[in-house]
Amino acid sequence: AVSLLTPHLGNGYMDLTQDFAALLPMDVISTMIHVPEPDQDMVRGWADDLIYREDGQFGLNERNINAYFAMGNYFDELATEMSEKLQGEDDIFSAVLQAERQGQLTHKDVIGFGILLAIAGNETTTKLIGNMSYRLWQHKDQRQLLINDPSLMGKAVEETLRFDGSTQMIGRQVMKDVEIRGCKLKAGERVGLCIISASRDEEKFDNANSFDITRGSRDHMAFGKGIHSCVGASLARLEVAVCMEEILRLIPDYEIDEAGLQRTHNPNVRGFTHVPISFTPRK
Ligand code: HEM
């Protein structure tokens, strides 16, 4: 985090997403899935293209499909190459390859895991760093509180996940007919659950619509629920805490140029692609 922020400190301005938040999670997940450094920008570019949706777009367009195939081909080759090299390494992609060797996963599953991890490990964490920087800038009293007492960082990350989580929805299939608050759902139907709204349920959280970094509730829905809840939750929490710690230490007085904020074009991923900031330059 420090080495990514340092080159910008003397300038007094940077794009917090493009110059920082988009880079660190990709570096980390790439290490875990063995994407070599020279390929990382290319893989991140595909991930961005894959999730990009035009206004009013339904289904996938050519840009999304091309990115999907490019990533599929890439992880096909990487998995084949790695499969020959790796023996007994203790990391997530090696575990997936091991499962293929043991007949528990097909080669297509392995390619799917590569794509899933490259996207899941990258987009949402990047966006949460932007969302947290934005909310702390909007609520400067909260930012000062955190600067004065860095031990609040864990709670502040949880509150950002609850108040402005970077995944808006999860999908589920209805197992049996059910009625929830007057809404009838039939077995077999597919539903989109708006977890970002559940995390602001006023029956569950006092002042649900206020951003309070001392709240400390981990009982939100930002990482989903059940056996498919987010595999990377601990990693994401750690990455965001480390990034925010360094931002607040190195550029505590950052101001956001609100007119330059740009949101991600995707109905599910919530956050900014551009967060232009200025701050007091330092050596
Ligand atoms: C702030 C960052 C993140 C957020 C908000 C987030 C959110 C989510 C959500 C909501 C789900 C669906 C859960 C469900 O259906 O119940 C999910 C699944 C998943 N996430 Fe994350 N995630 C984040 C970071 C990460 C990271 C860093 C990784 C990679 C290590 C990751 C890997 C995955 C995977 C593999 C799944 C699928 C799990 C399954 O279907 O069993 N996520 N995530």
Side-chain angles (χ1 to χ4, degrees):
V2 173
S3 64
L4 288 172
L5 284 171
T6 301
H8 305 282
L9 297 183
N11 299 337
Y13 62 86
M14 65 188 283
D15 184 327
L16 203 57
T17 303
Q18 294 300 319
D19 299 331
F20 178 62
L23 305 180
L24 187 134
M26 190 63 203
D27 279 3
V28 174
I29 197 68
S30 296
T31 311
M32 298 174 83
I33 59 175
H34 300 263
V35 172
E37 217 249 302
D39 294 352
Q40 290 179 15
D41 280 345
M42 180 175 73
V43 175
R44 187 178 33 250
W46 288 331
D48 288 343
D49 280 349
L50 205 158
I51 68 158
Y52 189 94
R53 298 290 182 274
E54 305 288 348
D55 288 343
Q57 177 188 335
F58 288 92
L60 301 178
N61 66 16
E62 211 179 318
R63 177 176 175 179
N64 310 141
I65 292 168
N66 288 345
Y68 222 116
F69 275 100
M71 268 186 137
N73 290 335
Y74 181 83
F75 282 106
D76 182 12
E77 279 176 28
L78 189 74
T80 310
E81 188 189 317
M82 270 182 61
S83 206
E84 288 158 16
K85 281 194 207 148
L86 291 175
Q87 292 297 332
E89 268 88 343
D90 184 20
D91 63 68
I92 193 164
F93 208 54
S94 305
V96 170
L97 288 169
Q98 177 73 6
E100 183 187 5
R101 270 194 225 119
Q102 292 170 347
Q104 292 163 307
L105 293 176
T106 65
H107 190 64
K108 276 189 184 165
D109 292 333
V110 173
I111 296 171
F113 261 105
I115 297 175
L116 172 65
L117 287 168
I119 296 172
N122 166 23
E123 294 289 347
T124 43
T125 313
T126 295
K127 301 306 182 289
L128 200 78
I129 297 166
N131 292 356
M132 187 156 170
S133 307
Y134 177 63
R135 294 304 177 182
L136 289 176
W137 170 77
Q138 258 189 337
H139 301 84
K140 294 209 176 54
D141 54 325
Q142 306 272 311
R143 179 166 81 176
Q144 199 52 51
L145 203 62
L146 192 51
I147 291 170
N148 295 346
D149 182 2
S151 74
L152 286 171
M153 184 56 80
K155 287 184 176 176
V157 172
E158 288 319 307
E159 181 63 350
T160 310
L161 283 161
R162 186 196 72 81
F163 187 79
D164 206 358
S166 44
T167 302
Q168 305 213 112
M169 289 181 279
I170 57 177
R172 289 291 188 271
Q173 189 160 2
V174 180
M175 300 301 287
K176 55 182 182 188
D177 292 358
V178 66
E179 184 172 331
I180 303 173
R181 296 192 179 189
C183 180
K184 288 189 175 124
L185 302 174
K186 282 201 167 51
E189 278 179 346
R190 299 182 71 194
V191 286
L193 306 172
C194 191
I195 51 174
I196 198 95
S197 172
S199 290
R200 289 213 196 178
D201 185 346
E202 45 288 285
E203 287 176 21
K204 185 160 180 70
F205 301 102
D206 291 338
N207 298 319
N209 284 326
S210 72
F211 180 69
D212 173 5
I213 64 159
T214 63
R215 186 189 302 267
S217 171
R218 285 168 72 102
D219 210 7
H220 52 68
M221 288 288 294
F223 289 120
K225 198 116 188 143
I227 58 164
H228 284 289
S229 68
C230 180
V231 168
S234 301
L235 174 65
R237 285 180 163 117
L238 179 64
E239 285 181 333
V240 177
V242 167
C243 288
M244 291 313 300
E245 216 172 276
E246 295 308 334
I247 289 172
L248 294 179
R249 190 173 66 83
L250 295 169
I251 47 173
D253 64 347
Y254 69 88
E255 290 290 338
I256 292 180
D257 168 14
E258 212 162 3
L261 285 172
Q262 283 181 38
R263 281 206 172 267
T264 312
H265 270 241
N266 184 285
N268 193 20
V269 179
R270 179 181 165 81
F272 303 102
T273 50
H274 294 277
V275 179
I277 60 166
S278 56
F279 47 86
T280 310
R282 56 182 287 182
K283 285 185 185 165

